[in-house]
Amino acid sequence: MGAYEDLLEATIDHLSVQRARGQRHVTVSPDKIDALFTALPEPNGQYDADETPLGQLCQRAIACKKCPNLISTRTQVVFGVGNPQADLMFVGEAPGQDEDRQGEPFVGAAGKLLTKIIETMGLSRDDVYIANILKCRPDTPGRNTGNRAPTTEEMATCVPWLHEQIDLVQPKVLVALGKTAVGGLLEKEVAITRFRGQWQTYRSIPLMPTFHPAYLLHKQSLAEKRKVWEDMLTVMEKIKLPISEKQRGFFL
Ligand code: URA
């Protein structure tokens, strides 16, 4: 662990003790928040001194201060990960606790399932690009655990980073995971059960809406897994990936 992570762990431990003693609020001055910014590590170390357009975009996103409520609770900006020239890009909702800690999208339980889906397609996380609508973990005022969906305002504030990311990666196909991702990209309210499996278009790029892996974890239904897998088979056909008979038959 680096010095930053050591300091973070110590701070979290200290705050946990204060919370156990009944303290509910901590006052932090704007100067301290600014100082913390300069000490932040690069997300996952992957954009250290990266002068590529995506690296530069990441640096700008890291410096964004548009959502003070999110900045005060999140650990770091979770920009995105994967192949900057990927044919296939997955878009999720927002970082959860694991992603916030590790600086990489989809590394928690839902992320592990997404990784399994990607690998079952015959790809690896390094072949695709993965990002979220929100780059910062949504705060949960009054609660210390759990997640909440991004607000419409937070989405509108943050989604321009994703637009720029997509412009730079130029994927052949986008997969939007869940209602928030589909709605955020298409800029409208969607019923995911109605949109799932139906090709949409995002700025001339084919977009496949599917269920979020967290939904599959919660639902634990073979039939719902098959729906997502059929969406992935459709995507594989679109980007001309080979499909074996074994792959066609999963979750039947
Ligand atoms: N869920 C998301 O939508 N994104 C992540 O990065 C992790 C969980």
Side-chain angles (χ1 to χ4, degrees):
M1 237 198 280
Y4 177 85
E5 282 79 12
D6 286 343
L7 194 57
L8 187 65
E9 289 271 295
T11 308
I12 292 169
D13 286 350
H14 173 74
L15 291 173
S16 305
V17 171
Q18 297 306 107
R19 189 177 58 209
R21 287 180 178 156
Q23 188 172 337
R24 285 288 166 264
H25 297 100
V26 185
T27 308
V28 185
S29 70
D31 284 355
K32 291 234 166 54
I33 300 252
D34 278 345
L36 278 172
F37 258 104
T38 57
L40 275 177
E42 309 297 335
N44 211 24
Q46 63 180 323
Y47 288 111
D48 290 351
D50 182 342
E51 291 304 321
T52 64
L54 209 50
Q56 287 174 353
L57 180 66
C58 176
Q59 295 304 327
R60 282 173 38 224
I62 288 172
C64 174
K65 296 183 188 178
K66 287 193 182 147
C67 303
N69 58 316
L70 304 191
I71 291 175
S72 66
T73 51
R74 61 105 159 108
T75 306
Q76 56 188 313
V77 171
V78 181
F79 180 68
V81 73
N83 178 357
Q85 278 134 23
D87 284 348
L88 182 55
M89 179 162 173
F90 289 87
V91 175
E93 180 174 300
Q97 188 172 40
D98 294 303
E99 290 76 20
D100 178 65
R101 290 233 167 151
Q102 295 183 44
E104 183 171 332
F106 282 101
V107 291
K112 290 199 169 66
L113 180 53
L114 177 63
T115 304
K116 221 162 138 187
I117 292 170
I118 292 167
E119 289 172 355
T120 311
M121 295 168 84
L123 300 169
S124 76
R125 281 173 72 99
D126 291 340
D127 293 320
V128 302
Y129 196 86
I130 308 173
N132 283 310
I133 297 283
L134 241 62
K135 306 300 186 223
C136 291
R137 180 172 189 224
D139 57 337
T140 51
R143 278 189 295 134
N144 302 312
T145 54
N147 295 315
R148 71 160 170 85
T151 64
T152 313
E153 195 190 342
E154 286 164 349
M155 286 167 67
T157 305
C158 203
V159 82
W161 296 116
L162 181 63
H163 293 317
E164 284 198 59
Q165 256 172 319
I166 298 172
D167 281 350
L168 291 173
V169 176
Q170 293 190 308
K172 290 196 178 121
V173 166
L174 282 159
V175 173
L177 302 161
K179 176 186 163 71
T180 302
V182 182
L185 284 170
L186 300 182
E187 291 178 356
K188 60 182 180 192
E189 269 281 315
V190 298
I192 187 65
T193 39
R194 217 162 47 73
F195 271 68
R196 192 228 106 236
Q198 311 290 325
W199 282 115
Q200 305 293 314
T201 306
Y202 163 88
R203 300 184 182 182
S204 315
I205 302 173
L207 179 151
M208 174 56 74
T210 196
F211 292 140
H212 194 286
Y215 165 76
L216 294 182
L217 286 178
H218 174 73
K219 189 90 178 165
Q220 287 295 339
S221 145
L222 200 65
E224 299 302 275
K225 282 183 188 159
R226 175 68 195 180
K227 285 180 190 164
V228 170
W229 183 241
E230 278 174 9
D231 299 343
M232 295 308 105
L233 289 172
T234 309
V235 164
M236 288 168 77
E237 278 165 5
K238 189 78 153 184
I239 55 174
K240 300 191 171 41
L241 283 176
I243 307 178
S244 68
E245 278 314 300
K246 189 174 169 196
Q247 279 172 315
R248 288 208 184 273
F250 284 134
F251 306 113
L252 278 177

